Each structure stands twice: as structure tokens, then as C-alpha cells.
Amino acid sequence: MTAAQGVLLRPITMGLLLQSLFLLLLLLLGSCLHTAAAFPKGCYPSEEEGLKTFRCSNAQLTEVPRDIPNDTNKLYLDFNQIPFLPRDAFQDLPLLLELDLSHNAITRIETGAFQGLAEHLHSLDLSSNRLVSVSKDAFSNLKAKVNLSNNPWLCDCRLQELIRAVELAADSSGGIVCDSSTQEEHVGKAFLQVIADTDFCNVYKKTTDIAMLVTMFGWFAMVISYLVYYVRQNQEDARRHLEYLKSLPSKQRRSEESSTISTVV
């Protein structure tokens, strides 16, 4: 190769190299943009204390977002407007350790909402929502410590069963207060203080038993009344028939009486 050819090839080589670098930058930028576009607005991944974290705090969410990285260890969905948790809402997050759903508008939790989290989840924050009544089945097999404070709870047997089924987070039990109750004198009191003296489920069982007894007594009274009415009605019909027979000629009367007696027998 001559010196002149080398001088001509040098700019071409540099141009190809620059073009390759430019294409590589475009690919990297496109990948970053695609990853960012997959996350809801206001959500971003990070790493905290060696744990993979996904934050969606105060992101104006109205539902649990999809496309959360499935290797997430800590998920923050606090300070949003999420109204309820559907079944299998977190089924694709098998490594989740902490879940913060505090300060939302959650009124309903479907059974199976935390399905798939039982093995690893150790912290679940549902404080400062709008929970009034939740079935214990919604937390089935969940081993996490749960914060249920600052919700407008209805204090009844259902809440009593729920509290006994979950492990409450430390220092959160005092925040579970009766916003309403089956017994008016409990309103405004801490639920654990109330159930120290009142067993809502026994009260409910007694009330149910009394209602059943009243219902059974009502049916029994109706049956007895019907039987008395039936007997009296038959007696009245028989009396009228006998009076009718007495008014007949003797021969016809005997025939009718025989028929009546056989019918009665």
C-alpha cells in the first residue's frame, strides 16, 4: 500500500469507527428509554442496602402497577389513590420482602390479593387507608408483620377473627381504633382494649342462637295453631253433619250414620 492510499483510507476508517460508536450510543439510549417507558409515571427502580427497590410513592396511582421488576425486594406504593387490591395483585413478585401500601384509599382486599407472597414477605403496611371490614381469608398463610392502624374499622366478630389471624407490626396495635361498632360504647376505643373484656364472636353466636330459637318457636306455634284449627273445624263439620242426619227419616239416617262412622274411623 502506498503512502497516498494510506492517507485516503485513514478518514474512511475514522468515519466507520465514529459511525459504529454513534449506532452503539443510539442502541443504549433506546434501551434506556424503553425501560423507562415500561414503568408508570413517577415510578423508578433503585437499590437500597443491597436490596432491589421499586418506588412509586406519591405517583397518583389508581391501581397496582404492572411491569414491576420481578426481582424486586422492596415495593413502595404509599401516598397514592389505590381503592382496592384485586386477586393475584402481586403474584409476579416472588422475592418481595417489604410492601408499603400506606396512605391510599383502599376499602376492599380480595381473597388471594397477597397470593404468592407467603414465603418471603415479612412486612406489610396497610395503615392510613379506608378499611372498614376485611375477611381473615385475605391474609391466609401470610407470615408478614402487618400494620392495620389508622383505618375506620367496624369493631365486630370479623375484625376480631382478622386480628387473631395476623401478626401485628410492633407498636401498631394501639392505632386499630373502633370507628364504629356493634356496641355503641366501644366507638373511639382501641380494639385490643375492647376485646380484653368483650368477645364479639360469642356475642354474635348468642344472638344467632336466640334468633334461631325464636324462629323455631314461631314455626312450632304456627303448626300447633294449624292443628287446633284443623281439629276444631272437623269437629264443627261433624256436629253440623250429625244435626243434618237427625233431621232425616230414620232409615236414611241410619245409612248416613254408618257412612259417617266408617269415614271417621
Side-chain angles (χ1 to χ4, degrees), residues 28-29 37 52 55 64-65 69 88 91 96 109 115 135 161 175 178 182 191 197 207 216 236 240-241 251:
L28 289 173
L29 181 61
K52 293 188 177 181
R55 286 191 175 273
V64 176
D88 297 327
Q91 65 173 344
L96 199 62
I109 301 175
Q115 189 168 313
S135 170
E161 289 179 338
C178 301
T182 52
F191 185 66
D197 302 316
T207 304
M216 290 174 64
E236 183 66 22
R240 290 176 182 172
H241 191 62
K251 191 173 182 179

Side-chain angles (χ1 to χ4, degrees), residues 1 25 29 40 49 84 89 92 114 161 165 167 176 181 186 190-191 199 204 206 208 216 234 244 253 255 265:
M1 180 184 295
L25 286 172
L29 181 61
E49 300 176 350
F84 80 102
D92 296 324
F114 304 113
E161 289 179 338
E167 182 179 357
I176 303 174
S181 175
H186 297 148
F191 185 66
D199 189 333
Y204 175 77
K206 288 177 182 177
T208 304
M216 290 174 64
N234 281 354
Y244 166 73
R253 186 191 313 162
S255 176
V265 172

Side-chain angles (χ1 to χ4, degrees), residues 51 72 147 151 155 186 230:
L51 296 174
T72 297
N147 189 342
N151 281 281
C155 291
H186 297 148
Y230 180 79

Side-chain angles (χ1 to χ4, degrees), residues 2-106:
T2 63
Q5 289 175 327
V7 171
L8 289 172
L9 286 173
R10 193 174 297 119
I12 296 173
T13 303
M14 290 297 295
L16 290 172
L17 182 61
L18 289 173
Q19 186 177 8
S20 298
L21 288 172
F22 181 71
L23 289 172
L24 181 61
L25 286 172
L26 284 178
L27 288 172
L28 289 173
L29 181 61
S31 176
C32 291
L33 287 173
H34 174 75
T35 301
F39 300 144
K41 184 180 179 181
C43 299
Y44 62 92
S46 65
E47 189 165 323
E48 300 176 6
E49 300 176 350
L51 296 174
K52 293 188 177 181
T53 303
F54 194 74
R55 286 191 175 273
C56 291
S57 302
N58 202 17
Q60 299 183 348
L61 298 176
T62 56
E63 62 180 2
V64 176
R66 301 176 182 178
D67 300 319
I68 299 172
N70 57 15
D71 59 350
T72 297
N73 303 127
K74 299 170 71 175
L75 176 59
Y76 292 89
L77 299 173
D78 51 319
F79 289 96
N80 285 290
Q81 291 95 44
I82 299 172
F84 80 102
L85 302 178
R87 182 180 178 86
D88 297 327
F90 307 99
Q91 65 173 344
D92 296 324
L93 302 172
L95 303 180
L96 199 62
L97 301 174
E98 297 182 19
L99 175 57
D100 190 346
L101 288 158
S102 63
H103 297 90
N104 272 280
I106 300 171

